[in-house]
Amino acid sequence: MTSFFSSLCARLFFLCGAVLRRGGVSGVRRLAAVLGFLLWVCLPGRRRLAMRAVRERLGVSGAEAKRIARQSFAENARSFLETALIPCFGFDDPRVRVTRPDLLRRMTAGDRPVVAATAHFGAWELLAGLFGDFPAEYPHVVVVRRSKNVALNDFTNRMRGSRGAVILGHRDAAFSILRALKRNGVTAFLVDHNTNRNEAVFLPFLGRAAAVNKGPALLAVRAEALVFAVFLRRDGEDYVFHIEELADTAMLDGGHEANMRTVARAYTEAVERMVRLAPEQWFWMHNRWKTRPGPDDAVPDAAPGAEAGAAARK
């Protein structure tokens, strides 16, 4: 019975995906506005969490926090629905603009291993699919967290990998990631989610210490990889591919632990810059600061701008 139900759910997901592709970007945007409103109404706990986080972390008024949080629900709904568009969305789409084509060429040249850090920001599902457009002779891997819903997990991962990217679950993926990096591949990670203390290094994020996943930084240092930050920001029905080069780990001269912290701090600050640029497009309903540092956890000074935010709240 469970197998039959899972199979039925899977069929429904793929059927809905086909319908969404027929509606295209415009159709997804309209449906996301409705779905975002329903989520806003039906998830009061997440609504309050998001408004409080926006108000405290950005130092804005209650009314502005509500506006940003409410818009973020629609943007997050759009991210989920855009999963269905991945098979027909690539760099050749006229709606995609690349901020630094030179850095994109450097990232995909295949002469160095690359770790790409991104976030639950903007069109992150479409971004996962874009990694499939990279040169086929080098591995391009996207590391994701698995959904507990088997049918949903199967649907999203098949969509994410539909253009050629290899999709790996974040648990026990280190060996496959290192093998891809050894072949000068590109491996992408979402680095803005809360994580367990044993997987974390504590760093300032939007003015408060947050548990930052140190795994991507450790792998980058071990592989002597180039580290980039990449995001796909929405601009109406267009998409802006932001790319920054954060570090060449082969050139870092600290110890292993120090180099790891340098890389982790670099991609955490890159995420913060994007959140401040377009706060409506980040996943505010997530409890980003859930894991708190203990008395033995070294937490550096707050990131630039935190003092201004604190002052604005007073």
Side-chain angles (χ1 to χ4, degrees):
M1 187 67 178
T2 302
S3 177
F4 172 77
F5 182 72
S6 296
S7 177
L8 178 62
C9 287
R11 289 176 180 271
L12 288 174
F13 280 128
F14 283 101
L15 176 61
C16 290
V19 172
L20 286 170
R21 281 192 293 278
R22 290 180 63 88
V25 171
S26 298
V28 163
R29 186 182 184 185
R30 290 192 295 269
L31 183 57
V34 176
L35 180 57
F37 171 75
L38 293 175
L39 292 172
W40 179 260
V41 171
C42 297
L43 298 174
R46 294 290 176 176
R47 182 174 70 231
R48 289 190 295 270
L49 186 154
M51 287 191 295
R52 182 174 64 251
V54 173
R55 186 176 66 253
E56 293 178 352
R57 298 299 99 219
L58 298 183
V60 298
S61 67
E64 179 66 1
K66 181 177 181 180
R67 183 196 68 79
I68 292 172
R70 184 167 182 172
Q71 181 61 33
S72 77
F73 274 60
E75 296 285 344
N76 298 156
R78 188 172 171 185
S79 295
F80 172 71
L81 296 176
E82 283 171 338
T83 305
L85 304 180
I86 293 174
C88 53
F89 183 89
F91 280 109
D92 57 350
D93 193 299
R95 287 165 294 209
V96 177
R97 305 195 309 272
V98 180
T99 57
R100 291 286 304 274
D102 58 321
L103 289 185
L104 180 59
R105 288 191 294 270
R106 176 165 166 76
M107 189 170 99
T108 59
D111 57 351
R112 292 285 303 281
V114 169
V115 167
T118 188
H120 295 86
F121 174 90
W124 73 77
E125 290 289 3
L126 288 178
L127 177 62
L130 287 180
F131 284 95
D133 282 8
F134 291 174
E137 58 265 34
Y138 306 107
H140 26 280
V141 176
V142 178
V143 181
V144 300
R145 291 198 169 197
R146 297 188 183 278
S147 170
K148 294 179 181 180
N149 185 306
V150 176
L152 178 60
N153 189 76
D154 182 54
F155 169 73
T156 55
N157 283 347
R158 284 181 62 179
M159 292 296 101
R160 290 162 177 163
S162 61
R163 298 185 66 85
V166 176
I167 309 301
L168 293 177
H170 74 293
R171 297 295 184 190
D172 303 319
F175 177 77
S176 297
I177 294 166
L178 285 171
R179 185 169 57 185
L181 292 173
K182 187 176 181 179
R183 295 172 55 196
N184 289 345
V186 178
T187 304
F189 299 85
L190 288 156
V191 298
D192 64 329
H193 48 74
N194 185 65
T195 191
N196 296 327
R197 186 182 304 278
N198 61 346
E199 299 174 337
V201 56
F202 285 92
L203 296 168
F205 177 62
L206 293 172
R208 190 183 186 199
V212 175
N213 187 349
K214 63 185 178 182
L218 287 169
L219 291 167
V221 170
R222 181 171 176 180
E224 296 191 342
L226 299 173
V227 182
F228 291 83
V230 293
F231 308 94
L232 194 62
R233 180 176 63 84
R234 298 192 188 93
D235 183 13
E237 292 193 2
D238 292 339
Y239 299 88
V240 182
F241 184 88
H242 287 265
I243 178 170
E244 300 179 48
E245 185 171 359
L246 301 180
D248 180 348
T249 59
M251 302 298 291
L252 297 178
D253 56 5
H256 189 81
E257 179 73 12
N259 290 345
M260 177 275 294
R261 293 184 71 92
T262 296
V263 173
R265 183 159 189 164
Y267 56 62
T268 301
E269 291 177 351
V271 174
E272 176 168 332
R273 287 192 291 272
M274 292 307 299
V275 174
R276 292 189 182 277
L277 176 65
E280 298 88 352
Q281 297 191 34
W282 192 55
F283 196 62
W284 289 99
M285 68 177 76
H286 168 59
N287 189 357
R288 178 64 189 90
W289 295 269
K290 181 178 180 179
T291 301
R292 305 308 307 139
D296 296 328
D297 292 309
V299 183
D301 294 336
E307 295 81 1
R313 291 192 297 274
K314 291 181 180 178

